Amino acid sequence: MTQFSGSHILSVNQLDLDAINTIFNVADNMTPYALREKRTKVLDGAILGNLFFEPSTRTRVSFGCAFNLLGGNVRETVGMGSSSLSKGESLYDTARVLSTYSDVIAMRHPDPYSVKEFSEGSRVPVINGGDGSNEHPTQALLDLFTIQKELSHRGQDISGMHIAMVGDLKHGRTVHSLSRLLCMYKGIQFTLISPTDLAMPDYVISDIENAGHKITITDQLEGNLHQADILYLTRIQEERFASQDEADKYRGKFRLNHSIYTQHCKSNTVIMHPLPRDSRAAANELDNDLNSHPSLAIFRQADNGLLIRMALFALTLGVENELQQHECPVNWYSRKADR
């Protein structure tokens, strides 16, 4: 991808290593604005159409906050029932109208490839916030950004690492997109741990193998984590199942707590999860007894999501080199660093 300005961000397949490095460099430059140490109004007057036709908390709010922190305004539509899609309007017609009101659109939709279909009618850049079980490119980017940062603290690179992905790998769009990004690196060991019926799709496995990486596929958690540098957990995607009873068959199948981590992982294995983690007793896939563990990176992941989405807005709107020109006084802050 050589041109960000004016472009849609629909799939990780659009990106190469140069594009990823550009995004990460811009994301690093966003740190003082995200921390409220500085303030920029580079997108003053711009409008984000934040269209989330599927339930979301972190991603939706993260997109909105990222745009606000660059000085822009946010208009939201939440839920299919509150939109004209429920009246039979096509994605194309919706895009033609709402892109008139917006300068950029972030969109989530329950159907695979729906965001791409929407983008074909949009007059402004569209960023995919998740399309069914297909992809979640901004989550994959923030995950990769987090992996790079976590490994760099111990003098490691992404190339040559060992990652264990655990849970619902069939429906987990985050692991699909992240795997595709990791295919651009060298010598990665993948351990894919899931119930047999929820295994990683064949096309993702083919991508990994064709890129020359090693894969271990198993349905057993214990005995398969001891070499992992990164442990990436996912919840059972119950909304993707035909019935709640079917989803419940797998709930609680794989759990991680302090005891299991201590017995089966290296002392510094990084724990990641795209959130939300299912903390209900029947699932409890990532126990609260790890909340204070230094290797738990799930909240650092969420923080990095703000930086990545700020970077993507700046790049798609062509203002990544104008941040300092539009700085203004910091009049308010919440002393987050003191908490």
Side-chain angles (χ1 to χ4, degrees), residues 58 235 273-278 285:
R58 268 155 305 281
R235 68 181 177 88
H273 191 298
L275 299 177
R277 55 175 165 170
D278 190 341
E285 69 224 15

Side-chain angles (χ1 to χ4, degrees), residues 134-159:
N134 180 40
E135 279 208 60
H136 196 345
T138 65
Q139 180 71 46
L141 284 165
L142 75 88
D143 288 341
L144 188 67
F145 189 57
T146 301
I147 290 170
Q148 179 176 281
K149 284 180 172 292
E150 297 290 325
L151 292 181
S152 69
H153 294 326
R154 62 179 80 167
Q156 282 184 261
D157 296 322
I158 295 175
S159 290

Side-chain angles (χ1 to χ4, degrees), residues 182-254:
L182 290 174
C183 284
M184 300 182 196
Y185 295 83
K186 303 294 184 183
I188 295 176
Q189 171 70 51
F190 287 79
T191 298
L192 306 180
I193 305 171
S194 70
T196 302
D197 292 339
L198 301 182
M200 187 75 85
D202 289 341
Y203 70 88
V204 179
I205 292 174
S206 294
D207 287 344
I208 295 171
E209 290 177 335
N210 291 338
H213 302 300
K214 296 180 180 179
I215 303 180
T216 299
I217 299 174
T218 179
D219 61 359
Q220 298 297 315
L221 186 69
E222 296 182 359
N224 290 294
L225 301 178
H226 61 286
Q227 293 298 323
D229 300 301
I230 304 291
L231 174 54
Y232 192 104
L233 296 153
T234 65
R235 68 181 177 88
I236 299 300
Q237 305 281 307
E238 61 185 55
E239 63 273 24
R240 312 289 178 210
F241 287 82
S243 69
Q244 187 65 52
D245 287 343
E246 185 181 355
D248 287 344
K249 290 192 303 184
Y250 304 103
R251 180 168 284 110
K253 177 73 173 178
F254 299 116

